Amino acid sequence: MDYVYGPGRNHLFVPGPVNIPEPVIRAMNRNNEDYRSPAIPALTKTLLEDVKKIFKSTTGTPFIIPTTGTGAWESALTNTLSPGDRIISFLIGQFSLLWIDQQQRLGFNVDVVESDWGHGANLEVMASKLAADTAHSIKAICIVHNETATGVTNNLATVRKILDHYNHPALLLVDGVSSICALDFRMDEWGVDVALTGSQKALSLPTGMGFICASSKALEATKTAKSVRVFFDWNDYLKFYKMGTYWPYTPSIQLLYGLRAALDLIFEEGLDNILEPGFHPKLKKPDRCPILAVEAWGLKNCAQKEEWFSDTVTAVIVPPHIDSSEIVKRAWKRYNLSLGLGLNKVAGKVFRIGHLGNLNELQLLGCLAGVEMILKDVGYPVKLGSGVAAASAYLQNSMPMIPSRI
């Protein structure tokens, strides 16, 4: 029985974990199997081939590790760097802060480039540091593509252009946890050396798998990287890849079958056709729905410039006299609606609407209707229906037909 049952379905609009498609749930509803039998290596081989595609890479080497995004962070760092290595890392929100904390605890010399929360990475500062680094002491650039705490997306193509402009050999390590399979991501084209994501975000799976794709340059770096690594050591994986058995330890059989079903859904729709919210043909500006609603409510987006607006999460700033935590609590207690809390510096100041993974436009409109009622509950003078009307008008003029039903 559910711990705290509520009638109907929970309206899950946190920016991960997200709703799981029914075909994926059915695919995972199976018994355990011997992972050393011929079936699991054969399945794994197809999964590795297809995982490369979600990173938009033909040359990278993929790894599927039973972990979370935090473990994928550690794997990316320890396989390519040595303690004491100088790295540039951007602090723009809670998750970039946590990655920086990990980098420091692993013993790296972290050159932190901090921006106000709600702003993107300060690439001008990065450029000046690269220009001054004629000795090439900077070994890596670490950047969160999509900061879910503030709803800010960084421009990775520009990061690569700056690195190339100064002909700097630093590795480019990217946290794509809430972007890969949801936002435009081009590992090969943008010269990303290590990219990573987690199963519970846009792939619409349960938590438990970290996905990493490493360039040939990153694999070469493992030969000199002196960081201690055991569970996350890519070399163990590569050894088993050559043997054709793929797994240095026991994987989750159920998650592997779920991943197969999730990838099949993505490729059936076409990866290039997928843009948030949900699995559907590409809309020009799907992020306009929550943005238009926020504007209609008279509130502001935490992301300070439109160029930084995220297509997977919208962080909404509330008036000073309202505690955003109360909005999130009331959403769950009264409306069976799950919204994201404000974290750390923006705790009590913002609430977050996640719009990634397995959802559609009508689900999003239901979420916006719920938010309006909650705002009214906490004393904000919102006009009921205003945000829903703005989003509905946009969608009614832009939503395509469902391809499989034409």
Side-chain angles (χ1 to χ4, degrees), residues 213-235:
C213 198
S215 70
S216 57
K217 182 179 173 182
L219 291 181
E220 188 65 25
T222 65
K223 298 176 182 178
T224 56
K226 294 180 173 59
S227 294
V228 175
R229 53 195 185 272
V230 181
F231 184 79
F232 295 120
D233 196 336
W234 296 347
N235 290 317

Side-chain angles (χ1 to χ4, degrees), residues 5 71 76-77 81 94 143 147 154 168 191 200 214 309 317 366 386 389-390:
Y5 174 74
L77 295 167
L81 299 167
Q94 178 65 8
I143 187 168
E147 174 56 75
N154 286 308
H168 201 288
Q200 78 279 14
F309 287 178
I317 299 174
S386 57

Side-chain angles (χ1 to χ4, degrees), residues 39 44 57 59 61 70 75 110 126 157 179 188 212 230 232 249 255 259 274 347 361 381 393:
T44 303
S57 178
T59 59
T61 299
T70 303
S75 179
V110 187
M126 183 191 82
S179 66
D188 288 356
I212 298 162
V230 181
F232 295 120
Y249 33 65
L255 283 177
L259 175 60
I274 293 177
E361 292 82 358

